[in-house]
């Protein structure tokens, strides 16, 4: 039940994230109000989903965590992530502003699974599961994660065009994509419109 509660918090945060909005938000063809959202679920549905996770993916992830750390006291993978509500609202307002400036219709947010690298500065987070949020736009009829910071007016650019530049050779082989000649090969880093900085539990 303790694990069930922690996972429920992740679902709760995601629902808040996708339905939160500032007073200045602009949505087309959707009336934002405080009525019950259509994507909310019942506790029976929730319990079934948590149970399936506990008997499936969680066992695999915990086993990987134990192998990764080699520490018998650190064998439980992160199962929930906390994001302060005002940070979520701020992020939504930010990507709405960027998209509006580029005349690109923001269609939503895509949430990617990720993990902190082995050399991450916070040792307690190394190897732990995390989430990365990216804004989406319609590209070839699909809701695709894109980068509004470097897109041109009315022309959304897929975020992997920039991500691949900083990926390892191993990752590039899996995510092969063309690079944009927008930045030099000597570029050390590049700001993105993606968001993370979550507080996972465990370890928090």
């Amino acid at each position: 039940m303790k694990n069930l509660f922690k996972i429920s918090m992740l679902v709760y945060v995601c629902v808040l994230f996708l339905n939160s909005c500032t007073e200045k938000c602009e949505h087309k063809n959707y009336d934002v109000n405080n009525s019950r959202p259509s994507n909310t679920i019942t506790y029976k549905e929730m319990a079934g989903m948590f149970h399936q996770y506990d008997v499936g993916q969680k066992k695999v992830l915990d086993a990987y965590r134990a192998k990764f750390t080699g520490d018998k006291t650190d064998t439980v993978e992160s199962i929930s992530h906390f994001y302060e509500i005002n940070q979520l609202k701020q992020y939504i307002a930010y990507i709405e502003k960027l998209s509006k400036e580029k005349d690109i219709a923001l269609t939503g947010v895509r949430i990617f699974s990720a993990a902190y690298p082995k050399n991450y500065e916070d040792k307690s987070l190394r190897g732990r599961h995390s989430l990365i949020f990216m804004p989406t736009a319609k590209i070839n009829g699909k809701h695709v994660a894109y980068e509004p910071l470097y897109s041109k007016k009315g022309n959304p650019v897929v975020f992997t065009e920039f991500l691949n530049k900083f990926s390892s050779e191993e990752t590039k082989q899996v995510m092969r994509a063309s690079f944009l000649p927008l930045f030099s090969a000597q570029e050390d880093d590049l700001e993105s419109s993606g968001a993370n900085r979550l507080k996972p539990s465990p370890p928090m």
Side-chain angles (χ1 to χ4, degrees):
M1 292 303 296
K2 186 175 181 181
N3 287 337
L4 192 64
F5 173 75
K6 288 180 179 179
I7 300 175
S8 68
M9 291 304 296
L10 173 59
V11 175
Y12 176 69
V13 168
C14 288
V15 170
L16 283 177
F17 179 76
L18 295 175
N19 292 285
S20 299
C21 183
T22 62
E23 293 180 358
K24 296 182 179 180
C25 286
E26 295 182 5
H27 295 267
K28 294 181 179 180
N29 303 320
Y30 187 78
D31 181 24
V32 177
N33 53 58
N34 59 3
S35 62
R36 181 178 172 82
S38 61
N39 58 357
T40 54
I41 62 177
T42 67
Y43 273 101
K44 185 175 181 179
E45 291 177 294
M46 193 185 299
M49 293 165 72
F50 286 154
H51 171 71
Q52 188 58 48
Y53 178 82
D54 284 342
V55 300
Q57 288 91 330
K58 188 176 188 305
K59 288 185 176 181
V60 176
L61 293 173
D62 285 351
Y64 173 79
R65 182 67 191 169
K67 181 179 179 180
F68 181 91
T69 63
D71 183 352
K72 293 183 179 181
T73 65
D74 187 7
T75 61
V76 179
E77 182 53 276
S78 297
I79 55 176
S80 70
H81 303 83
F82 175 76
Y83 218 123
E84 201 272 328
I85 187 65
N86 286 328
Q87 289 182 326
L88 294 177
K89 290 182 178 181
Q90 177 64 34
Y91 180 64
I92 292 173
Y94 173 65
I95 59 177
E96 284 187 320
K97 182 192 74 170
L98 292 179
S99 298
K100 184 177 181 180
E101 291 173 349
K102 297 297 176 71
D103 293 329
I104 297 172
L106 177 68
T107 63
V109 174
R110 192 166 288 280
I111 304 176
F112 294 93
S113 290
Y116 294 101
K118 292 181 178 180
N119 61 349
Y120 195 70
E121 56 184 357
D122 185 342
K123 293 182 180 180
S124 68
L125 295 179
R126 291 178 180 177
R128 285 202 171 278
H129 177 263
S130 188
L131 302 172
I132 294 177
F133 306 129
M134 287 297 299
T136 64
K138 274 288 187 72
I139 301 178
N140 297 325
K142 297 181 179 180
H143 299 285
V144 179
Y146 89 107
E147 182 49 79
L149 283 175
Y150 311 115
S151 294
K152 294 182 179 180
K153 288 268 187 177
N155 184 27
V157 178
V158 179
F159 88 111
T160 51
E161 295 284 358
F162 306 95
L163 175 67
N164 287 346
K165 181 179 179 185
F166 298 94
S167 299
S168 65
E169 287 303 318
E170 180 181 356
T171 304
K172 288 179 183 177
Q173 292 175 10
V174 177
M175 301 174 59
R176 188 67 64 184
S178 61
F179 296 117
L180 296 182
L182 186 58
F183 303 97
S184 68
Q186 286 73 38
E187 190 74 48
D188 292 329
D189 206 350
L190 189 65
E191 289 187 348
S192 80
S193 59
N196 177 256
R197 303 290 186 262
L198 299 160
K199 294 180 180 178
S201 178
M204 306 291 183

